[in-house]
Amino acid sequence: MDFQHRAGGKTGSGGVASASESNRDRRERLRQLALETIDINKDPYFMKNHLGSYECKLCLTLHNNEGSYLAHTQGKKHQTNLARRAAKEAKEAPAQPAPEKVKVEVKKFVKIGRPGYKVTKQRDPEIGQQSLLFQIDYPEIAEGIGPRHRFMSAYEQRIEPPDRRWQYLLFAAEPYETIAFKVPSREIDKAETRFWTHWNRETKQFFLQFHFKMEKALPAPPGQVASVGVKRPPSLITGLHAPTDSMPPPPPGGIHGMPPGAPVPPQMPPQMPPPGALPPHLRPPLPTDM
């Protein structure tokens, strides 16, 4: 506390403030702080009587100043009465009707049958990528409605037993019936140039084309070039080499049984065994009369 302005008092000459003075100063500081943060005039239970004191209409308590009332509002008694009053009002209040949901008007059309269609299978000549082109005719399509499409898994439909190898492409436009095409269950290439749709409003034709993604080929072993076309089976005979014209030179001591320097006899071609001694797949073809 500030003891400087006391009558007959000097700075540093006063004693320690008593407990009551400290409490009074603390309540004053709390009141000033509460007045800065809380607008007491908006409290529905705050009332000032004709005697100049303050009353709490909820708890029926009297308070000499605003700070005392603000301290009371933070107490247990006032908070309990607030919760009790809120529960009573919630119980007595009439049940509020649930807000009405926005109703979306369902358009009803009389089905007139299935549309005409044309399916074209295509293959890219450069990379061999396969594609399908669909042309659906809707000459009697409803005004302001455009065709729609989507891919459906085999497990979503209830017409056929599900088969993981197939998927379905659906086309829908009122008042025509929805049609579906059964296509292989392969990954679709969603690139901009590989998947496109077009709706011609003049001819009433809807076009859709999509490509299947290319399957990755297995890499060839190192040192071996991947062959294109028909693969030839390996040779049935292994370990044989083509005969050569060059013969190895004779040994320095001559051929066994001949003196050194003697002329070498001519080499005779190897004798083929008779046809009956060879297995059937190695026998030479028989000559045929022309």
Side-chain angles (χ1 to χ4, degrees):
M1 293 181 61
D2 187 10
F3 303 99
Q4 180 179 1
H5 302 290
R6 284 190 174 185
K10 295 182 181 180
T11 304
S13 62
V16 179
S18 62
S20 61
E21 292 176 343
S22 298
N23 290 336
R24 186 167 57 250
D25 182 68
R26 180 179 56 83
R27 287 194 299 268
E28 181 64 21
R29 285 187 285 107
L30 291 176
R31 186 182 70 86
Q32 295 293 339
L33 181 62
L35 289 176
E36 293 178 0
T37 56
I38 302 175
D39 189 0
I40 198 172
N41 295 324
K42 294 183 179 180
D43 191 342
Y45 306 111
F46 174 75
M47 184 183 70
K48 186 176 182 180
N49 58 18
H50 63 286
L51 299 177
S53 59
Y54 304 96
E55 295 183 13
C56 177
K57 295 188 293 183
L58 179 64
C59 306
L60 303 179
T61 55
L62 293 174
H63 306 278
N64 296 328
N65 50 43
E66 297 175 354
S68 176
Y69 175 80
L70 291 174
H72 164 72
T73 57
Q74 304 301 320
K76 181 179 180 180
K77 181 179 180 180
H78 189 81
Q79 295 296 329
T80 303
N81 290 336
L82 283 177
R84 190 177 301 170
R85 173 63 65 88
K88 183 180 179 181
E89 292 179 353
K91 185 177 181 180
E92 294 178 354
Q96 296 288 341
E100 297 182 0
K101 296 182 179 180
V102 180
K103 294 183 179 180
V104 179
E105 183 181 356
V106 180
K107 299 181 179 179
K108 297 182 179 179
F109 297 92
V110 178
K111 299 297 183 179
I112 62 175
R114 300 177 182 177
Y117 60 87
K118 178 182 178 182
V119 182
T120 306
K121 300 179 181 180
Q122 298 178 343
R123 181 188 294 270
D124 193 326
E126 297 181 358
I127 60 177
Q129 189 174 11
Q130 297 176 343
S131 66
L132 291 174
L133 173 63
F134 295 87
Q135 174 185 337
I136 316 298
D137 299 330
Y138 294 109
E140 303 295 336
I141 190 171
E143 188 68 24
I145 293 181
R148 295 172 298 170
H149 71 280
R150 82 175 185 96
F151 286 91
M152 184 176 68
S153 170
Y155 297 95
E156 297 181 57
Q157 53 88 26
R158 296 292 182 270
I159 306 300
E160 299 179 352
D163 190 348
R164 54 184 292 183
R165 299 174 300 174
W166 302 97
Q167 60 182 338
Y168 298 87
L169 176 58
L170 277 64
F171 294 91
E174 300 294 347
Y176 291 92
E177 296 181 2
T178 301
I179 59 175
F181 296 91
K182 190 175 181 180
V183 297
S185 181
R186 296 167 53 187
E187 188 175 1
I188 305 300
D189 192 349
K190 295 298 183 64
E192 184 177 357
T193 57
R194 299 297 177 180
F195 189 99
W196 59 269
T197 60
H198 175 66
W199 167 237
N200 192 332
R201 300 181 182 275
E202 297 180 358
T203 61
K204 306 294 184 180
Q205 292 178 332
F206 181 71
F207 298 89
L208 183 145
Q209 184 182 22
F210 68 89
H211 291 68
F212 293 106
K213 278 194 174 182
M214 296 287 293
E215 297 180 356
K216 296 182 180 180
L218 296 177
Q224 180 179 354
V225 180
S227 59
V228 180
V230 180
K231 295 183 179 180
R232 297 182 178 180
S235 175
L236 298 177
I237 304 175
T238 58
L240 298 181
H241 302 279
T244 56
D245 296 338
S246 60
M247 300 297 296
I255 302 178
H256 180 69
M258 297 183 64
V264 180
Q267 295 290 337
M268 300 297 295
Q271 297 292 331
M272 295 294 295
L278 293 177
H281 66 279
L282 296 181
R283 294 175 185 175
L286 299 177
T288 57
D289 297 336
M290 299 301 294

